Amino acid sequence: PKMKEDNCLHAALICLGMLCYSHALTTERLNHSRPSLHGHHEKGKEGQVLHRSKRGWVWNQFFVIEEYTGPDPVLVGRLHSDIDSGDGNIKYILSGEGAGIIFVIDDKSGNIHATKTLDREERAQYTLTAQAVDRNTNRPLEPPSEFIVKVQDINDNPPEFLHENYHANVPERSNVGTSVIQVTASDADDPTYGNSAKLVYSILEGQPYFSVEAQTGIIRTALPNMDREAKEEYHVVIQAKDMGGHMGGLSGTTKVTITLTDVNDNPPKFPQSVYQMSVSEAAVPGEEVGRVKAKDPDIGENGLVAYSIIDGDGMDLFEITTDYETQEGVVKLKKTLDYETKKAYSLKVEAANVHIDPKFISNGPFKDTVTVKIAVEDADEPPVFLKPSYIFEVQENAASGTVVGKVHAKDPDAANSAIRYSIDRHTDLERYFVINAEDGNIKTIKALDREEIAWHNISVFAVEVHKQHQEAKVPVAIKVVDVNDNAPKFAAAYEAFVCENARSNQQFITISADDKDDSANGPRFIFSLPPEIIHNPNFTLRDNRDNTASVLVRREGFSRQKQDLYLLPIVISDGGVPPLSSTNTLTIRVCGCDSSGSLLSCNAEAYILNAGLSTGALIAILACIVILLVIVVLFVTLKRQKKEPLIVFEEEDVRENIITYDDEGGGEEDTEAFDIATLQNPDGINGFIPRKDIKPEYQYLPRPGLRPAPNSVDVDDFINTRIQEADNDPTAPPYDSIQIYGYEGRGSVAGSLSSLESATTDSDLDYDYLQNWGPRFKKLADLYGSKDTFDDDS
């Protein structure tokens, strides 16, 4: 039926177009006339009046219906000139937009036809130019003139929406008529011709919840109090129809998805009136006990719920926090519990919306309350000390077994098990203390020394007898009380210096003391001299009463020559009960000073030796002299202990003289290169070599004139004098001795080993005795011992 309706509509439109076309032909006839002088006047350049010729034809716009689908080309119109007599000498020419392609003209009759179907939505009009020319000469008979062919619109385009799908939001509980969204459709047909582009909107789906304005396309709510919790999303179909919505018009549709947004119109509500929970008494603060949840159908910030405890006997022991991810109230332990004290608690918990919409506050309070009952469960608890820590005192040097103090713990459980005590040996590695396992009494094992350890920090364990895994630990601090058992001593190793020219009652040093005991048994210190030297003629002591003392000179005129060192005993007493004292020795050196009291020298030897030589240099010189004397004495002693004189045993010193020649002489037979006589001993002819190493029997007395003056400062004179005395003293070792080494010795079985006289000796020697001379002569024994004879020339 709908197709039939469309065909009828199409036929009606064609008939309407043909009527319009015929009316146009009757009104758009061509009026041709010869050019005449009638018309507008135009003035030429030379002042003559020109007459604008009138056109030979005049016509209005041509019209053609779009989408024409007839079997023959549609006639658009006809061109005709008055000068056309019908003999065929006039030729009509058409040019312009679409000429020859869309529009063709019969050059004889002037009829214009449209050869193609036209679409107004593609192009609404065409501009063409018509001209009449002589067929034979192509000479224009009339000036060319333009005309317009307009495509007449028909309703061939349905309305189309800008979007295929729309999405919109509107708050729930909105009033009727609340604007939701505006949808817009467009029609490609000509809005100025007929009703082809006049649109009317209507709702096809979505009643009775929404409505649409027919002219504007605005969608509005149609029902009051739409609840998002009941239905959140709606699908609405909107239709746009042309022809003013009348029958025969074309239409288009779009889908609109409308979502109800949430408002806080629902209060939170607990699903039950009472929650039951339990917690062990061994739970630590912060541990979770349980959870409650109030249901709120709203979403987002409208559904946020905050929990709080508003009443109950457990408000101080429990707390509640909000888990915003799960919207639950988390009940946590705030303080430790004791089953033996109280076994159950009750809480009143409130759940309230965080954000409240004032428009719906009349719906009632947006909160709810619930009762939470918490039962405390008994737990096997470890022992508990009566104090968190203990502090005891004990005197140092107390006898072994002295009681220090007592700790006490109990079992908090109803069973009240027996407790045993022990000391953590990691805190008492030296084992100073012991504890009674039954009653907790702590005693000493050995004497304590405050000066070594002033505080002992130990830990004591308490363990249930029948449940040894349950234990407690408590710190015990033991202070060692000081006893006056250390006498005061000098605070430092004092060494005083006093000038030879010191004045009487002159202070030259201030001393202080140190005591290892506590301040109660230490200062104040009392300084004094021993009773036996209370009237010391050289020095006196003055107690400054500020734990220091000053040492003063009692007399004048000290001398380093007479005495350069004094030892002054000083008695120091402390303020303890009973007081202790000690005698300390102060070393005082006498020094040389200048007139201003500045020290110059404190060495007593400065008056005997020259003034420029230091003590260290003198000690080094004397040490070297002593070492040299010891070496000489040892050398002489070893020489005298030999059985024969040195001159006899020199024959055993078998050595060769190595002679270096600068020329290549004749070897051993060349005696001209070296004087052999210089190697011979002139005393060897008599067979006796004198020896001069006998100690003189008289004593040498140094000449008194050689000693330098005591006050001399010339060190060279002093040393030269000492050297001269030693050189001229015949009684001082080492003794002068002359040794002759050119002689080869006598009495040797081997004789001379020199090759200088080998030319005159022609004898065979037996070297077998070298086997008996020990390992030092093993090499010689291997070389010569195996031979029966030996040639000196070889």
Side-chain angles (χ1 to χ4, degrees), residues 233-252:
E233 191 173 81
Y234 296 85
H235 297 282
V236 178
V237 177
I238 302 297
Q239 182 190 60
K241 191 173 183 180
D242 58 12
M243 298 301 292
H246 294 91
M247 184 179 297
L250 303 179
S251 64

Side-chain angles (χ1 to χ4, degrees), residues 431-624:
R431 293 185 175 271
Y432 287 105
F433 307 98
V434 67
I435 190 170
N436 190 306
E438 281 73 24
D439 58 12
N441 274 322
I442 301 175
K443 299 179 180 180
T444 60
I445 300 177
K446 52 186 178 181
L448 305 177
D449 187 2
R450 189 203 69 86
E451 287 70 41
E452 183 180 352
I453 302 177
W455 284 87
H456 293 267
N457 297 305
I458 64 174
S459 297
V460 175
F461 289 112
V463 182
E464 295 183 16
V465 175
H466 302 294
K467 299 177 182 178
Q468 296 187 2
H469 65 282
Q470 294 288 5
E471 67 177 13
K473 187 178 182 180
V474 68
V476 178
I478 302 173
K479 180 182 179 181
V480 181
V481 181
D482 182 52
V483 175
N484 192 19
D485 58 347
N486 290 277
K489 296 180 181 180
F490 276 158
Y494 293 108
E495 185 175 3
F497 302 92
V498 63
C499 294
E500 289 180 307
N501 56 357
R503 300 186 304 274
S504 178
N505 293 327
Q506 180 181 352
Q507 174 184 337
F508 60 90
I509 189 172
T510 300
I511 60 175
S512 62
D514 189 13
D515 195 332
K516 293 183 178 179
D517 291 322
D518 197 4
S519 58
N521 293 317
R524 100 163 177 85
F525 298 122
I526 302 173
F527 300 86
S528 63
L529 296 177
E532 61 271 13
I533 61 167
I534 192 65
H535 300 293
N536 188 291
N538 300 314
F539 307 100
T540 183
L541 184 69
R542 182 180 66 209
D543 194 338
N544 298 326
R545 299 183 179 277
D546 60 353
N547 295 328
T548 64
S550 300
V551 183
L552 298 87
V553 177
R554 174 166 285 187
R555 65 178 178 86
E556 296 180 356
F558 290 89
S559 176
R560 284 183 288 174
Q561 288 181 326
K562 295 180 180 180
Q563 185 174 350
D564 64 340
L565 184 67
Y566 293 89
L567 301 177
L568 180 64
I570 299 175
V571 178
I572 309 175
S573 301
D574 60 19
V577 181
L580 293 181
S581 63
S582 65
T583 301
N584 301 264
T585 302
L586 176 64
T587 303
I588 305 173
R589 294 186 179 275
V590 180
C591 302
C593 305
D594 57 12
S595 59
S596 63
S598 300
L599 296 179
L600 294 179
S601 176
C602 295
N603 297 325
E605 296 81 5
Y607 286 93
I608 301 174
L609 301 178
N610 291 331
L613 199 60
S614 64
T615 304
L618 291 175
I619 293 174
I621 293 172
L622 292 176
C624 293

Side-chain angles (χ1 to χ4, degrees), residues 49-282:
V49 178
L50 300 179
H51 299 277
R52 187 175 63 182
S53 60
K54 188 178 180 180
R55 290 190 305 177
W57 53 54
V58 178
W59 59 83
N60 291 329
Q61 295 178 345
F62 290 166
F63 293 88
V64 60
I65 298 177
E66 67 170 337
E67 304 292 344
Y68 174 73
T69 58
D72 299 325
V74 60
L75 178 63
V76 177
R78 181 181 180 187
L79 298 180
H80 184 72
S81 177
D82 291 342
I83 62 175
D84 186 3
S85 58
D87 55 1
N89 292 327
I90 296 179
K91 180 181 179 181
Y92 296 97
I93 299 173
L94 184 66
S95 62
E97 297 174 346
I101 301 174
I102 299 176
F103 303 100
V104 295
I105 188 171
D106 188 347
D107 58 355
K108 291 182 179 181
S109 64
N111 292 333
I112 301 173
H113 292 83
T115 61
K116 293 184 178 180
T117 302
L118 302 181
D119 187 358
R120 190 202 67 84
E121 286 70 37
E122 291 183 2
R123 187 159 188 170
Q125 65 183 18
Y126 298 88
T127 301
L128 300 173
T129 301
Q131 189 174 18
V133 298
D134 186 273
R135 183 178 298 274
N136 297 321
T137 62
N138 287 331
R139 181 177 59 87
L141 300 178
E142 293 288 348
S145 181
E146 290 184 352
F147 65 94
I148 296 174
V149 177
K150 285 192 173 181
V151 181
Q152 190 172 355
D153 182 53
I154 64 172
N155 189 18
D156 58 342
N157 291 280
E160 293 183 357
F161 285 92
L162 299 180
H163 303 285
E164 185 178 354
N165 294 286
Y166 289 84
H167 295 274
N169 297 323
V170 64
E172 63 173 333
R173 308 285 183 182
S174 295
N175 296 327
V176 175
T178 301
S179 175
V180 179
I181 191 176
Q182 182 178 14
V183 294
T184 303
S186 61
D187 196 319
D189 293 325
D190 188 1
T192 63
Y193 180 77
N195 294 326
S196 298
K198 185 177 181 180
L199 304 181
V200 175
Y201 298 94
S202 61
I203 183 169
L204 300 182
E205 295 181 14
Q207 301 95 340
Y209 305 104
F210 300 96
S211 62
V212 64
E213 292 183 358
Q215 305 301 324
T216 62
I218 298 176
I219 301 175
R220 300 182 182 274
T221 57
L223 281 182
N225 297 325
M226 285 191 292
D227 190 5
R228 184 200 67 83
E229 288 73 32
K231 185 176 181 180
E232 182 176 7
E233 191 173 81
Y234 296 85
H235 297 282
V236 178
V237 177
I238 302 297
Q239 182 190 60
K241 191 173 183 180
D242 58 12
M243 298 301 292
H246 294 91
M247 184 179 297
L250 303 179
S251 64
T253 59
T254 186
K255 294 181 180 179
V256 182
T257 302
I258 301 176
T259 303
L260 298 182
T261 58
D262 184 64
V263 297
N264 191 9
D265 58 339
N266 295 281
K269 186 71 176 177
F270 284 104
Q272 58 195 68
S273 59
V274 178
Y275 284 87
Q276 297 288 344
M277 300 179 184
S278 62
V279 60
S280 173
E281 64 173 336

Side-chain angles (χ1 to χ4, degrees), residues 12-78:
L13 289 174
I14 293 175
C15 294
L16 179 62
M18 294 299 294
L19 290 176
C20 294
Y21 172 70
S22 61
H23 174 73
L25 291 180
T26 57
T27 58
E28 296 175 2
R29 61 184 184 85
L30 296 173
N31 295 321
H32 183 270
S33 64
R34 300 286 300 175
S36 63
L37 298 176
H38 301 283
H40 292 87
H41 297 280
E42 292 184 2
K43 187 175 290 186
K45 295 181 180 180
E46 297 179 356
Q48 62 179 359
V49 178
L50 300 179
H51 299 277
R52 187 175 63 182
S53 60
K54 188 178 180 180
R55 290 190 305 177
W57 53 54
V58 178
W59 59 83
N60 291 329
Q61 295 178 345
F62 290 166
F63 293 88
V64 60
I65 298 177
E66 67 170 337
E67 304 292 344
Y68 174 73
T69 58
D72 299 325
V74 60
L75 178 63
V76 177
R78 181 181 180 187

